[in-house]
Amino acid sequence: MNIRRAQYTDIASLSEIEALQPFSANWGPSGWPAELVEGISYVWCAVKEEKLIGFIAYRHVAGFCEILNVAVHPSHCRQGIGKALLAHALQEIKKNGGQTVTLEVNEYNFPAQALYRQAGFQQAGRRKKFYRGKDDALILNYTV
C-alpha cells in the first residue's frame, strides 16, 4: 500500500468509499471537486494494487488543522489502513507547521474513536445531536 495526494480522477472512488461507510461525511461526487482545489485542503489516498482503498481529508490554516472526512473501503477495514492514513496526515501536518488538530467523531463510531485515542487525541467537548439531529459529536484534539 502507498499513500498519495488525491486527484480529480479519484472522485468516483472517493465517493464510492464514503457512500459505503455510514459515519463518513458523504460529500458525494459534487462535493469533492471543490475540496480538491481548495488551497487549504489536503486529501490523501491509500492505494493498493492501483485501487483506491481509503482516504483522509483535512484543512490546514495558520497552524490549526481540522480532519473533516476519513473512510476506508469496507473490504479493507481492520487492516491498519486508517491508522496509516492518520499517521501520514499527522506527519504532513507537523512538517507543514501544524500545531493543533481537531476533529468530530460520532459518539457511536467506536472504531474511529479507538483509532484517534490510540494516536493521542483527547476529548475536548461534545456537540449534542450534531449528526442528523440525533447522535452527539465528540470533539477530539491533538497537539502536534
Side-chain angles (χ1 to χ4, degrees):
M1 177 192 75
N2 68 343
I3 297 175
R4 64 162 172 76
R5 288 288 294 262
Q7 305 164 359
Y8 280 107
T9 55
D10 295 321
I11 290 173
S13 296
L14 292 165
S15 299
E16 175 190 351
I17 291 170
E18 69 176 354
L20 294 170
Q21 290 294 358
F23 294 112
S24 177
N26 205 7
W27 292 338
S30 63
W32 282 105
E35 202 62 33
L36 292 177
V37 298
E38 178 62 52
I40 60 172
S41 293
Y42 298 84
V43 181
W44 295 98
C45 298
V47 179
K48 186 174 183 180
E49 298 172 3
E50 299 184 36
K51 182 177 167 119
L52 196 149
I53 56 173
F55 65 83
I56 187 167
Y58 63 91
R59 291 186 179 173
H60 183 167
V61 179
F64 180 80
C65 299
E66 183 177 11
I67 295 175
L68 301 169
N69 202 354
V70 182
V72 173
H73 193 283
S75 66
H76 290 86
C77 286
R78 299 286 206 217
Q79 297 176 18
I81 295 159
K83 183 177 182 177
L85 284 164
L86 180 60
H88 183 84
L90 293 175
Q91 180 181 20
E92 288 293 317
I93 287 166
K94 182 177 183 176
K95 183 172 84 175
N96 291 305
Q99 299 165 0
T100 304
V101 182
T102 190
L103 60 84
E104 295 158 349
V105 61
N106 189 297
E107 66 182 326
Y108 297 112
N109 189 346
F110 302 118
Q113 289 179 46
L115 170 69
Y116 298 135
R117 289 200 167 109
Q118 183 180 34
F121 282 79
Q122 296 183 358
Q123 187 169 338
R126 177 183 289 264
R127 289 197 171 108
K128 295 282 186 184
K129 299 183 180 184
F130 184 75
Y131 296 106
R132 297 176 307 277
K134 186 172 93 172
D135 300 345
D136 290 359
L138 305 181
I139 302 166
L140 305 182
N141 288 341
Y142 176 86
T143 302
V144 180

